[in-house]
């Protein structure tokens, strides 16, 4: 199988998966049911004709667009023999889905305003202090696989380092596929991916710690039940993130082995990169199937009939004024939370108006610029 055919198959598979995810995006399985297209609505309006119409319109227009973009990508990719075609096609598909999403968002916002959907409902909020006094603990046992792979990579590198050649080959993505670049063998280049592993491990640990302390999205109509479900959801999410971190470290172990052994096999590279990523994607999908966002289908661990037993009669407050970009960006300087539940997709997003987030982002930006200046200065010196 030649490189052109492999590239075409990879592009086709990528666009197929991306198209399927974007097509399913409005589903309550992937988004809170009470926030269709990023618009907060009362629970009794979540299945209203207006919402159903926008979902049907979004999918009816996206499906033919996805087919046309995919076919055009295959044809142009074969003619031009360039990997850039697949990337451009993916960006075009995302842009088309974003435009359709924005159109649906605006239509539902108008329908909610014109119909006064919140006029006859009791709005409220709920919090649970036990999530602070007795938080879900970080599952340290799930950190062990990442540390073991990291240690194994460092040990293998220490064993191979004395016998490494003067130069090593590093794979890199180019417009024509994968190419290899020769670099001088030094301690830093030989162990570069080990340092990346360390960065991945620390980043995943920090992310899990932040998620466990993030503000929960509790159901005001059944607070006790939703708190119990949220705890189970946090535990599952933490284990999933740490598992993905271990898989990334495993992929970096394979890439390090290829670099130290001067292997340029496309098949080996595909296995080293593809298998861990495939397992990570499948694992993430299983998490999605087991635990839907709050307000969607029943979450993991829910007790049948619990919702009927506990009902406060309240609905979540209409907070659309704090959300921008069709429900994808949260902007509220009065909210002390840095991480808040997403409206679009699962997980959390940042409060971009939070002073602590702005200060932290500024520090990271300054450090990044300083590191770039130092590296350029050393390089030219």
């Amino acid at each position: 199988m030649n490189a052109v055919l492999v590239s075409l198959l990879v592009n086709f598979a990528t666009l197929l998966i991306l198209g399927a995810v974007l097509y399913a995006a409005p589903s309550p399985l992937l988004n809170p049911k009470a926030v269709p297209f990023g618009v907060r609505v009362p629970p009794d309006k979540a299945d209203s004709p207006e919402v159903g119409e926008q979902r049907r319109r979004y999918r009816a227009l996206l499906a033919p667009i996805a087919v046309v973009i995919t076919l055009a990508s295959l044809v142009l990719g074969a003619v031009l023999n360039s990997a850039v075609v697949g990337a451009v096609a993916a960006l075009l598909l995302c842009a088309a889905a974003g435009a359709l999403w924005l159109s649906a968002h605006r239509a539902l916002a108008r329908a909610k305003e014109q119909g006064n959907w919140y006029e006859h409902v009791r709005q409220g909020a709920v919090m649970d202090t036990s999530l602070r006094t007795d938080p879900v603990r970080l599952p340290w046992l799930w950190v062990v696989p990442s540390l073991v792979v990291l240690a194994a990579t460092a040990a293998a590198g220490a064993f191979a380092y004395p016998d490494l050649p003067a130069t090593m080959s590093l794979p890199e993505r180019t417009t024509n596929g994968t190419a290899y670049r020769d670099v001088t063998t030094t301690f830093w280049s030989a162990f570069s991916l080990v340092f990346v592993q360390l960065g991945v491990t620390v980043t995943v640990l920090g992310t899990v710690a932040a998620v466990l302390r993030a503000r929960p999205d509790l159901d005001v109509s059944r607070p006790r039940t939703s708190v119990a479900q949220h705890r189970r959801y946090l535990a599952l999410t933490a284990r999933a993130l740490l598992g993905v971190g271990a898989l990334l470290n495993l992929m970096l172990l394979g890439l390090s082995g290829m670099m130290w052994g001067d292997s340029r096999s496309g098949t080996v590279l595909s296995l080293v990169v593809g298998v861990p990523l495939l397992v990570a994607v499948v694992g993430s999908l299983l998490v999605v199937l087991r635990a839907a966002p709050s307000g969607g289908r029943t979450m993991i661990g829910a007790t049948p009939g619990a919702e009927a037993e506990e009902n406060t009669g309240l609905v979540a407050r209409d907070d659309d004024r704090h959300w921008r970009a069709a429900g994808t960006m949260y902007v509220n300087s009065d909210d002390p939370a840095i991480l808040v539940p997403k409206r679009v997709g699962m997980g959390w997003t940042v409060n971009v108006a939070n002073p602590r987030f702005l200060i932290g982002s500024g520090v990271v930006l300054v450090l990044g610029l300083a590191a770039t200046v130092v590296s350029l200065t050393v390089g030219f010196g």
Side-chain angles (χ1 to χ4, degrees):
M1 187 178 294
N2 58 49
V4 176
L5 183 56
V6 171
S7 178
L8 289 176
L9 290 176
V10 170
N11 288 342
F12 175 74
T14 301
L15 291 174
L16 188 64
I17 295 173
L18 179 61
V21 171
L22 293 176
Y23 184 85
S27 169
L29 180 66
L30 301 178
N31 298 282
K33 187 177 181 180
V35 194
F37 292 101
V39 179
R40 174 76 69 182
V41 301
D44 63 328
K45 293 291 186 179
D47 294 316
S48 65
E50 294 87 348
V51 174
E53 178 185 355
Q54 292 305 319
R55 285 198 182 115
R56 289 190 295 272
R57 179 178 179 274
Y58 171 91
R59 289 169 175 162
L61 293 175
L62 181 63
I65 292 175
V67 171
V68 170
I69 290 178
T70 301
L71 293 178
S73 171
L74 292 176
V75 173
L76 290 176
V79 172
L80 301 177
N81 187 23
S82 174
V84 174
V85 173
V88 172
L91 290 176
L92 289 176
L93 185 54
C94 290
L100 293 174
W101 185 280
L102 179 60
S103 176
H105 173 87
R106 290 175 174 174
L108 284 181
R110 286 194 302 269
K112 183 178 77 170
E113 181 180 1
Q114 295 171 0
N116 294 320
W117 287 2
Y118 274 88
E119 185 178 6
H120 302 294
V121 297
R122 294 172 56 213
Q123 301 180 50
V126 64
M127 64 177 295
D128 187 89
T129 55
S130 69
L131 291 171
R132 289 291 179 267
T133 58
D134 182 26
V136 177
R137 306 299 177 184
L138 196 151
W140 288 104
L141 187 62
W142 284 75
V143 183
V144 173
S146 289
L147 297 178
V148 169
V149 175
L150 173 60
T153 310
F159 179 79
Y161 184 69
D163 298 321
L164 291 179
T167 60
M168 299 179 299
S169 59
L170 288 177
E172 59 182 13
R173 191 72 171 172
T174 67
T175 57
N176 294 319
T178 302
Y180 289 86
R181 174 171 53 92
D182 290 333
V183 297
T184 303
T185 300
T186 64
F187 172 82
W188 299 108
S189 62
F191 288 88
S192 58
L193 297 184
V194 177
F195 293 117
V196 175
Q197 285 180 320
L198 181 60
V200 168
T201 303
V202 172
T203 301
V204 171
L205 271 175
T207 301
V208 171
V211 164
L212 293 179
R213 300 289 291 181
R215 193 181 73 193
D217 188 14
L218 303 179
D219 188 343
V220 297
S221 67
R222 48 191 188 100
R224 289 190 298 273
T225 302
S226 61
V227 166
Q229 293 173 353
H230 180 70
R231 285 180 171 275
R232 285 185 283 266
Y233 174 60
L234 282 182
L236 180 63
T237 301
R239 294 195 297 269
L241 288 174
L242 292 172
V244 169
L247 289 169
L248 291 177
N249 277 355
L250 186 63
M251 179 184 70
L252 291 168
L253 169 59
L255 291 174
S256 295
M258 291 186 66
M259 180 175 65
W260 298 329
D262 197 29
S263 172
R264 303 193 180 198
S265 170
T267 302
V268 174
L269 179 62
S270 298
L271 291 175
V272 165
V273 175
V275 172
L277 290 182
L278 179 61
V279 175
V281 170
V282 172
S284 300
L285 289 176
L286 291 177
V287 172
V288 171
L289 293 175
R290 292 194 65 191
S294 176
R297 65 181 182 85
T298 304
M299 291 176 61
I300 179 175
T303 303
E307 186 173 357
E309 295 173 2
E310 178 195 11
N311 192 337
T312 64
L314 299 175
V315 301
R317 290 182 298 183
D318 182 9
D319 56 350
D320 279 356
R321 65 187 181 280
H322 298 307
W323 290 87
R324 305 287 187 270
T328 60
M329 181 183 297
Y330 184 67
V331 185
N332 185 1
S333 58
D334 296 325
D335 191 340
I338 296 179
L339 289 179
V340 297
K342 283 183 177 181
R343 280 193 167 189
V344 179
M346 297 183 68
W348 291 263
T349 187
V350 296
N351 177 8
V352 297
N354 185 285
R356 289 180 294 168
F357 169 74
L358 295 175
I359 293 172
S361 300
V363 171
V364 171
L365 179 61
V366 170
L367 291 176
L369 290 175
T372 301
V373 171
V374 170
S375 63
L376 291 176
T377 302
V378 172
F380 284 117

